[in-house]
Amino acid sequence: YILISMVTGFVFGLTIHKSGVHVPSLVRAQLTFDSWLLLEVFLVAFTIAILVQSFFSWLHPERTSLSYYERELGYPAIMIGGWTVGVGMALAGAFPGNISAQVGAWIKPTYWTYFGGLSGALVYALAFDE
């Protein structure tokens, strides 16, 4: 599984970089509906992910995970999380999918976003230690 994850991550990062959707101005242009490239690239990525996930769910149905909607916080957590990611995308011109490509492309303001994401993950891990 680690090898599959590494290959998948490499292909995803290469696709993000070569398609150009790692550029902060393009992310902001998508949010103002001036460019549709980001949406097009991610619709292709989502389609491939759905097909692969469907195949593996069919192959090993006993390994399917609990849906996010069935968890304790449910829909409110999803709505608040989506709003938070959207605000972060608008302010930083980055999102979790392209931040590594931005760091690899040496886009300078990205380092603040990257360390902010790591700090947020650390705070979350400390606050919700199970």
Side-chain angles (χ1 to χ4, degrees):
Y1 291 117
I2 293 197
L3 182 62
I4 292 172
S5 297
M6 289 173 60
V7 170
T8 304
F10 175 77
V11 170
F12 180 75
L14 184 67
T15 304
I16 290 291
H17 188 269
K18 292 298 181 186
S19 65
V21 297
H22 68 286
V23 179
S25 60
L26 186 74
V27 175
R28 289 188 188 103
Q30 174 63 53
L31 294 174
T32 58
F33 304 112
D34 292 331
S35 172
W36 295 97
L37 180 63
L38 184 68
L39 180 65
E40 293 168 358
V41 169
F42 273 88
L43 284 177
V44 171
F46 291 150
T47 303
I48 292 170
I50 288 170
L51 292 174
V52 170
Q53 180 66 33
S54 297
F55 173 73
F56 283 117
S57 293
W58 173 76
L59 196 61
H60 295 289
E62 69 278 0
R63 292 189 181 181
T64 56
S65 63
L66 179 67
S67 172
Y68 287 109
Y69 306 112
E70 297 171 1
R71 295 191 181 178
E72 184 178 331
L73 298 176
Y75 288 109
I78 293 171
M79 291 188 300
I80 292 169
W83 179 83
T84 305
V85 169
V87 169
M89 286 175 63
L91 293 174
F95 55 94
N98 76 350
I99 191 72
S100 296
Q102 288 181 345
V103 169
W106 295 94
I107 298 173
K108 297 294 183 210
T110 301
Y111 296 110
W112 291 107
T113 307
Y114 185 74
F115 290 122
L118 288 178
S119 300
L122 177 65
V123 168
Y124 180 84
L126 294 174
F128 295 102
D129 186 23
E130 293 183 14

